[in-house]
Amino acid sequence: MERTLIIVKPDAVGKNFSGDIIKRFENNGFKLSGAKFIKMDKKKAEGFYYVHKERPFFGSLVDFMTSGPVFVISLKKDNAVKDARKLIGATNPSNAEAGTIRKDFAESIERNAIHGSDSTESAQFEVGYFFKAEELL
Ligand code: UDP
Ligand code: MG
């Protein structure tokens, strides 16, 4: 079994999509491994997205991710990372396939409803960034 890290972003939490988004994963064989409902401060969001710190969208992304509460979730399944990315869909919802989470819940390339780890290495970093070992099942 592999773990991945999902974040229901402030746009989707604000529109009460958290339950629907979690349901998509449960319906597709994922098991909850850990969860917390938090509001990130600037330092926490900047550290999470450090790989993007030189990108033009970084400042705006950090402002968005700290604009309201987020649901941080660790999910478990065989091939969790790859299978979650498939369910989530393309970064820009206008390019996302029908039936994907971003197609159905995202507003824009920035306010795109959900984060999902993009590799097993980043999943390990990201799960550890939010959860202590004893907070994970
Ligand atoms: N993002 C943005 N503008 C862009 C690309 C990305 O605002 O041109 C935001 C968007 O919220 C995205 C996040 O930055 O989810 C991280 O970007 P990444 O390329 O890692 O996309 P993801 O892995 O989330 O699909
Ligand atoms: Mg990414």
Side-chain angles (χ1 to χ4, degrees):
M1 288 253 251
E2 180 178 73
R3 284 199 186 96
T4 192
L5 196 277
I6 295 300
I7 302 177
V8 183
K9 294 185 178 182
D11 59 320
V13 170
K15 288 187 282 185
N16 298 330
F17 291 151
S18 303
D20 293 313
I21 289 173
I22 293 168
K23 195 77 201 146
R24 294 277 175 112
F25 290 101
E26 291 180 326
N27 286 345
N28 283 278
F30 291 81
K31 287 286 179 196
L32 289 162
S33 160
K36 42 183 81 167
F37 188 61
I38 60 168
K39 191 165 182 292
M40 283 194 268
D41 63 16
K42 196 168 182 231
K43 199 170 147 230
K44 190 78 179 173
E46 284 176 347
F48 179 71
Y49 277 124
Y50 79 96
V51 291
H52 294 311
K53 66 178 188 298
E54 307 299 337
R55 308 284 291 277
F57 59 80
F58 182 70
S60 178
L61 174 61
V62 168
D63 286 347
F64 164 53
M65 291 300 288
T66 56
S67 67
V70 295
F71 234 116
V72 185
I73 301 161
S74 170
L75 295 169
K76 271 199 302 204
K77 185 186 165 304
D78 290 337
N79 301 312
V81 172
K82 198 179 268 176
D83 289 357
R85 292 285 296 195
K86 203 184 288 173
L87 278 185
I88 288 169
T91 307
N92 187 343
S94 39
N95 301 329
E97 280 180 44
T100 60
I101 292 169
R102 282 173 170 162
K103 188 63 171 187
D104 294 341
F105 298 110
E107 287 176 24
S108 68
I109 190 166
E110 178 177 84
R111 299 169 65 85
N112 61 1
I114 184 166
H115 168 83
S117 308
D118 67 358
S119 67
T120 53
E121 295 73 33
S122 54
Q124 276 181 7
F125 163 74
E126 291 175 358
V127 172
Y129 191 76
F130 287 104
F131 295 98
K132 299 180 189 140
E134 63 267 27
E135 295 172 324
L136 293 166
L137 295 170

